[in-house]
Amino acid sequence: MMSSDAKERMLRRAAKDILSGMTVNLGIGLPTEVLQYVAPDMPVCLHSENGIAGVGPSRSYDEADRNLIDAGGAYVSKVAGTAFFDSAVSFSIVRSGRLDLTMLGAFEVAANGDLANWIIPGKFSPGMGGAIELAQKARQVAVVMMHTDRKGNPKILPQCTLPLTAKGRVNRIYTDMALFDVRDGTLHLVEIADGVSLDELKAATAADFTIPDHDLPVF
């Protein structure tokens, strides 16, 4: 199980890559939690597929406007300049390539950037949702996930075993153990989590990856 410290480090590290001026979509689950580590005064536009540009911080049930939710059903708030529109306009923003970055959750990611995040056969799924189009059309696609599943099985694999959401579209992977980039179809270790050894990382990663010949940054 991922410790709260490891989770926070992962989310903080992912938030560092959300830069001023970006239009960003944060997927359901762990990616949504990245928002709490983005500075409130950071001039970014957060997009939600259900029809919001300018998503503000999450709100508790008692604080919330009950009509204002994100695509995952969480209560959110407005910021200066928040805009609302229908799903057709929202997906036009996605399909026309206007998102600088999407951060998505995943069941599996392959070393070549293939993504599987919409269904585990035999288990209920409401459908692909927006993930299939976000993964295809965003300029940069990142995954935020635990490094292993609840049984300790690796989630970064030589090839995905689950139905694919998108082929070769993942550029960056953030986990509680490491940060990887996918370059030219191969997996490259970029940073390692504090307290994690290379041997531990190799044991938890089913896919081969390239290790840089310099000291690894730690997050």
Side-chain angles (χ1 to χ4, degrees), residues 19-199:
L19 305 178
S20 176
M22 278 185 166
T23 300
V24 179
N25 181 287
L26 299 177
I28 296 169
L30 283 172
T32 304
E33 298 185 48
V34 173
L35 176 57
Q36 63 186 305
Y37 299 102
V38 177
D41 59 349
M42 173 75 77
V44 297
C45 178
L46 295 178
H47 167 272
S48 182
E49 304 99 286
N50 61 322
I52 312 174
V55 179
S58 298
R59 290 287 182 258
S60 69
Y61 181 84
D62 292 334
E63 300 173 317
D65 174 345
R66 310 286 167 74
N67 296 309
L68 189 56
I69 60 172
D70 65 14
Y75 293 120
V76 294
S77 57
K78 297 181 289 185
V79 296
T82 296
F84 303 98
F85 31 79
D86 63 19
S87 292
V89 172
S90 187
F91 277 91
S92 292
I93 292 170
V94 176
R95 292 167 184 163
S96 58
R98 286 178 164 81
L99 295 180
D100 296 296
L101 171 67
T102 185
M103 291 185 173
L104 302 170
F107 299 131
E108 296 176 345
V109 182
N112 68 348
D114 290 352
L115 172 66
N117 76 344
W118 76 278
I119 193 170
I120 297 176
K123 295 189 177 182
F124 171 76
S125 170
M128 286 187 173
I132 187 169
E133 301 206 53
L134 291 166
Q136 293 288 350
K137 297 299 185 180
R139 295 169 189 168
Q140 293 289 314
V141 178
V143 164
V144 182
M145 67 177 189
M146 294 176 67
H147 203 90
T148 60
D149 66 19
R150 293 179 181 177
K151 296 180 179 179
N153 299 311
K155 295 174 69 172
I156 302 178
L157 307 174
Q159 293 181 319
C160 290
T161 64
L162 297 173
L164 293 184
T165 306
K167 290 185 176 182
R169 289 293 300 151
V170 175
N171 306 110
R172 176 160 279 197
I173 305 167
Y174 306 89
T175 78
D176 52 311
M177 297 184 74
L179 167 60
F180 294 94
D181 279 347
V182 180
R183 304 177 201 144
D184 300 321
T186 57
L187 194 63
H188 296 258
L189 178 61
V190 178
E191 299 177 17
I192 195 164
D194 186 32
V196 175
S197 71
L198 272 175
D199 286 342

